[in-house]
Amino acid sequence: MGKFIIRTVSSGIKFDLKAGNGEVIATSEVYSSLQACKNGIESVRKNAVIAAVEDQTKENFEEEKHPKFELYQDKAGGYRFRLKARNGEIIAVSESYTAMASCKNGVASVRKNAPEAAVIEEK
C-alpha cells in the first residue's frame, strides 16, 4: 500500500507519494503551510483515479479536459508526467523516466497508491 510522506524543506512543506515498495512515484509543489499540503494530498487522491491521460509526446495529440495526467518529454530526453487538478493547477509531478512505458507505469502506480487507503506520515 502506498503512502504520502509530508516533509519540510527550506522553502516550505511538500509531499512525496511512495509506492508499496518505498519508491517515490510523485512529488508535490512546495506549500506554505501544513494544511495547504494536506489539501494538495486530498486533491491528488480525488483526481488521480478520474484523470484522463494526455500524451503530449505524440504529434497532433488530443487535448484532454482537467483533471488529467500530462505525459511529456523533458529537455534531457526523459519522459515525465504531471497530474493537473480540475482547475488546471499542477498537483504532482514524476521523476524522469528513460522509457515511455515506465512513465505510463508511474501513472498507473499513482492511480493505485493515491486513493483514500494511502497513509499520511509527517517527517
Side-chain angles (χ1 to χ4, degrees):
M1 178 181 299
K3 60 179 147 184
F4 288 95
I5 307 293
I6 296 173
R7 58 192 170 90
T8 302
V9 294
S10 61
S11 52
I13 300 169
K14 65 188 306 185
F15 68 80
D16 292 324
L17 173 59
K18 290 189 173 187
N21 64 3
E23 291 291 317
V24 174
I25 49 177
T27 302
S28 73
E29 66 178 337
V30 177
Y31 295 96
S32 58
S33 71
L34 179 60
Q35 188 55 53
C37 186
K38 287 181 177 181
N39 291 346
I41 289 171
E42 289 309 311
S43 185
V44 169
R45 284 179 164 168
K46 288 178 189 160
N47 289 293
V49 293
I50 61 170
V53 176
E54 181 180 286
D55 187 349
Q56 297 179 350
T57 66
K58 292 184 175 175
E59 217 174 295
N60 301 316
F61 66 88
E62 187 174 330
E63 195 165 327
E64 300 287 348
K65 292 182 180 172
H66 296 105
K68 65 183 172 182
F69 284 96
E70 293 178 341
L71 310 181
Y72 64 100
Q73 205 161 12
D74 62 25
K75 289 182 174 118
Y79 297 95
R80 295 178 179 265
F81 67 79
R82 56 187 159 236
L83 174 58
K84 289 188 169 183
R86 289 183 191 273
N87 64 3
E89 291 288 316
I90 297 171
I91 52 177
V93 297
S94 73
E95 64 181 6
S96 182
Y97 296 96
T98 55
M100 176 56 87
S102 299
C103 185
K104 289 179 177 178
N105 287 341
V107 169
S109 188
V110 170
R111 288 184 194 270
K112 177 184 171 189
N113 288 286
E116 297 297 325
V119 175
I120 299 176
E121 284 183 15
E122 293 179 39
K123 294 248 173 186

Coordinates of all heavy atoms in Angstrom, one line a residue, residues 71-106:
L71 N 1.6 13.5 -20.1 CA 2.9 12.8 -20.4 C 3.7 13.7 -21.3 O 3.1 14.1 -22.4 CB 2.6 11.5 -21.0 CG 1.6 10.6 -20.3 CD1 1.5 9.2 -21.0 CD2 1.9 10.4 -18.9
Y72 N 4.9 13.9 -21.0 CA 5.7 14.8 -21.9 C 7.2 14.4 -21.8 O 7.6 13.7 -20.9 CB 5.6 16.3 -21.5 CG 6.1 16.6 -20.1 CD1 7.3 17.2 -19.9 CD2 5.3 16.4 -19.0 CE1 7.8 17.6 -18.7 CE2 5.8 16.7 -17.7 CZ 7.0 17.3 -17.6 OH 7.5 17.6 -16.3
Q73 N 8.0 14.9 -22.7 CA 9.4 14.7 -22.8 C 10.1 15.9 -22.2 O 9.8 17.0 -22.6 CB 9.8 14.4 -24.2 CG 11.1 13.6 -24.3 CD 11.3 12.9 -25.6 OE1 10.6 13.2 -26.6 NE2 12.2 12.0 -25.7
D74 N 11.1 15.7 -21.3 CA 11.8 16.8 -20.7 C 13.0 17.2 -21.6 O 13.3 16.5 -22.6 CB 12.2 16.5 -19.3 CG 13.2 15.3 -19.1 OD1 13.9 15.0 -20.1 OD2 13.2 14.7 -18.1
K75 N 13.7 18.3 -21.2 CA 14.8 18.8 -22.1 C 15.9 17.8 -22.2 O 16.7 17.8 -23.2 CB 15.3 20.1 -21.4 CG 14.4 21.2 -21.6 CD 14.9 22.5 -21.0 CE 14.0 23.6 -21.3 NZ 13.5 24.3 -20.1
A76 N 16.1 16.9 -21.3 CA 17.1 15.8 -21.3 C 16.7 14.6 -22.1 O 17.5 13.7 -22.3 CB 17.6 15.4 -19.9
G77 N 15.5 14.6 -22.7 CA 15.0 13.5 -23.4 C 14.3 12.4 -22.7 O 13.9 11.4 -23.2
G78 N 14.1 12.6 -21.3 CA 13.4 11.7 -20.5 C 11.9 11.9 -20.6 O 11.4 12.9 -21.1
Y79 N 11.2 11.0 -20.0 CA 9.7 11.0 -20.0 C 9.2 11.3 -18.6 O 9.7 10.7 -17.7 CB 9.1 9.8 -20.6 CG 9.5 9.5 -22.0 CD1 10.5 8.7 -22.3 CD2 8.7 10.1 -23.0 CE1 10.9 8.5 -23.7 CE2 9.1 9.9 -24.4 CZ 10.2 9.1 -24.7 OH 10.5 8.9 -26.0
R80 N 8.3 12.2 -18.5 CA 7.7 12.6 -17.2 C 6.2 12.7 -17.3 O 5.7 12.9 -18.4 CB 8.2 14.0 -16.8 CG 9.7 14.0 -16.5 CD 10.2 15.5 -16.2 NE 11.6 15.5 -15.9 CZ 12.1 15.4 -14.7 NH1 11.3 15.3 -13.6 NH2 13.4 15.5 -14.5
F81 N 5.6 12.7 -16.1 CA 4.1 13.1 -16.1 C 3.9 14.1 -15.0 O 4.7 14.3 -14.1 CB 3.3 11.8 -15.8 CG 3.4 11.2 -14.5 CD1 2.8 11.7 -13.3 CD2 4.2 10.1 -14.3 CE1 2.9 11.1 -12.1 CE2 4.3 9.4 -13.1 CZ 3.7 10.0 -12.0
R82 N 2.8 14.9 -15.2 CA 2.4 15.8 -14.2 C 0.9 15.6 -14.1 O 0.2 15.4 -15.1 CB 2.7 17.3 -14.5 CG 2.3 17.8 -15.8 CD 2.8 19.2 -16.1 NE 2.8 19.4 -17.6 CZ 3.8 19.7 -18.4 NH1 5.0 19.9 -17.8 NH2 3.6 19.8 -19.6
L83 N 0.4 15.6 -12.9 CA -1.1 15.5 -12.6 C -1.6 16.9 -12.4 O -1.1 17.6 -11.5 CB -1.3 14.6 -11.4 CG -2.8 14.5 -10.9 CD1 -3.7 13.9 -12.0 CD2 -2.8 13.6 -9.7
K84 N -2.6 17.2 -13.2 CA -3.3 18.5 -13.0 C -4.7 18.3 -12.5 O -5.4 17.4 -12.9 CB -3.3 19.3 -14.4 CG -2.0 19.8 -14.8 CD -2.1 20.7 -16.0 CE -0.8 21.4 -16.4 NZ -1.0 22.3 -17.5
A85 N -5.1 19.2 -11.6 CA -6.4 19.2 -10.9 C -7.4 19.8 -11.9 O -7.1 20.3 -13.0 CB -6.4 19.9 -9.6
R86 N -8.7 19.7 -11.4 CA -9.8 20.3 -12.2 C -9.5 21.7 -12.6 O -10.0 22.2 -13.7 CB -11.1 20.2 -11.5 CG -11.6 18.8 -11.3 CD -13.0 18.8 -10.6 NE -13.4 17.5 -10.2 CZ -14.0 16.7 -10.9 NH1 -14.4 17.0 -12.2 NH2 -14.4 15.5 -10.5
N87 N -8.8 22.5 -11.8 CA -8.6 23.9 -12.1 C -7.4 24.2 -12.9 O -7.0 25.3 -13.2 CB -8.5 24.7 -10.8 CG -7.4 24.3 -9.9 OD1 -6.5 23.4 -10.3 ND2 -7.3 24.9 -8.7
G88 N -6.7 23.1 -13.3 CA -5.5 23.2 -14.2 C -4.2 23.3 -13.4 O -3.1 23.4 -14.0
E89 N -4.3 23.4 -12.1 CA -3.1 23.5 -11.3 C -2.3 22.2 -11.2 O -2.9 21.1 -11.1 CB -3.4 23.9 -9.8 CG -3.9 25.3 -9.7 CD -2.9 26.3 -9.9 OE1 -1.7 26.2 -9.3 OE2 -3.1 27.3 -10.6
I90 N -1.0 22.2 -11.3 CA -0.2 21.0 -11.2 C -0.2 20.6 -9.7 O 0.2 21.4 -8.9 CB 1.2 21.2 -11.7 CG1 1.2 21.6 -13.2 CG2 2.1 20.0 -11.4 CD1 2.6 22.0 -13.7
I91 N -0.6 19.4 -9.4 CA -0.6 18.9 -8.0 C 0.4 17.8 -7.7 O 0.6 17.5 -6.6 CB -2.0 18.5 -7.6 CG1 -2.6 17.5 -8.6 CG2 -2.9 19.7 -7.5 CD1 -4.0 16.9 -8.3
A92 N 1.0 17.2 -8.8 CA 2.0 16.2 -8.5 C 2.8 16.0 -9.8 O 2.3 16.1 -10.9 CB 1.4 14.9 -8.1
V93 N 4.1 15.7 -9.7 CA 5.0 15.5 -10.8 C 5.8 14.3 -10.6 O 6.0 13.9 -9.4 CB 5.9 16.7 -11.1 CG1 5.1 18.0 -11.4 CG2 6.8 17.0 -9.9
S94 N 6.3 13.7 -11.7 CA 7.1 12.5 -11.6 C 8.6 12.8 -11.7 O 9.0 13.9 -12.1 CB 6.7 11.5 -12.7 OG 7.2 11.9 -13.9
E95 N 9.4 11.8 -11.5 CA 10.8 11.8 -11.8 C 10.9 11.6 -13.4 O 9.9 11.4 -14.0 CB 11.5 10.7 -11.1 CG 11.1 9.3 -11.6 CD 11.8 8.1 -10.9 OE1 12.5 8.4 -10.0 OE2 11.5 7.0 -11.3
S96 N 12.1 11.7 -13.9 CA 12.3 11.4 -15.3 C 12.5 10.0 -15.5 O 13.3 9.3 -14.8 CB 13.5 12.2 -15.8 OG 13.7 12.1 -17.2
Y97 N 11.8 9.4 -16.5 CA 12.0 8.0 -16.9 C 12.7 7.9 -18.2 O 12.5 8.8 -19.1 CB 10.6 7.3 -17.0 CG 9.8 7.3 -15.8 CD1 8.8 8.3 -15.5 CD2 10.0 6.3 -14.9 CE1 8.1 8.2 -14.3 CE2 9.2 6.2 -13.7 CZ 8.3 7.2 -13.4 OH 7.5 7.1 -12.3
T98 N 13.5 6.9 -18.4 CA 14.2 6.7 -19.7 C 13.2 6.2 -20.8 O 13.5 6.4 -22.0 CB 15.4 5.8 -19.6 OG1 14.9 4.5 -19.0 CG2 16.4 6.4 -18.7
A99 N 12.1 5.5 -20.4 CA 11.2 4.9 -21.4 C 9.8 5.4 -21.1 O 9.4 5.5 -20.0 CB 11.3 3.4 -21.3
M100 N 9.0 5.6 -22.2 CA 7.6 6.0 -22.0 C 6.8 4.9 -21.3 O 6.0 5.3 -20.5 CB 7.0 6.2 -23.4 CG 5.5 6.6 -23.4 SD 5.1 8.0 -22.3 CE 5.3 9.3 -23.5
A101 N 7.1 3.6 -21.5 CA 6.4 2.6 -20.8 C 6.6 2.7 -19.3 O 5.6 2.5 -18.5 CB 6.9 1.2 -21.3
S102 N 7.7 3.1 -18.8 CA 8.0 3.3 -17.4 C 7.2 4.5 -16.9 O 6.7 4.5 -15.8 CB 9.5 3.5 -17.1 OG 10.2 2.4 -17.5
C103 N 7.1 5.5 -17.7 CA 6.3 6.7 -17.3 C 4.9 6.3 -17.2 O 4.2 6.7 -16.2 CB 6.5 7.8 -18.4 SG 5.7 9.4 -18.0
K104 N 4.3 5.6 -18.1 CA 2.9 5.1 -18.0 C 2.7 4.2 -16.8 O 1.7 4.3 -16.2 CB 2.5 4.4 -19.3 CG 2.4 5.4 -20.5 CD 2.0 4.6 -21.8 CE 1.8 5.6 -22.9 NZ 1.5 5.0 -24.2
N105 N 3.7 3.4 -16.5 CA 3.6 2.6 -15.3 C 3.6 3.5 -14.0 O 2.9 3.1 -13.0 CB 4.8 1.6 -15.2 CG 4.7 0.5 -16.1 OD1 3.7 0.2 -16.7 ND2 5.8 -0.2 -16.4
G106 N 4.3 4.6 -14.0 CA 4.2 5.6 -12.9 C 2.8 6.1 -12.8 O 2.4 6.2 -11.6

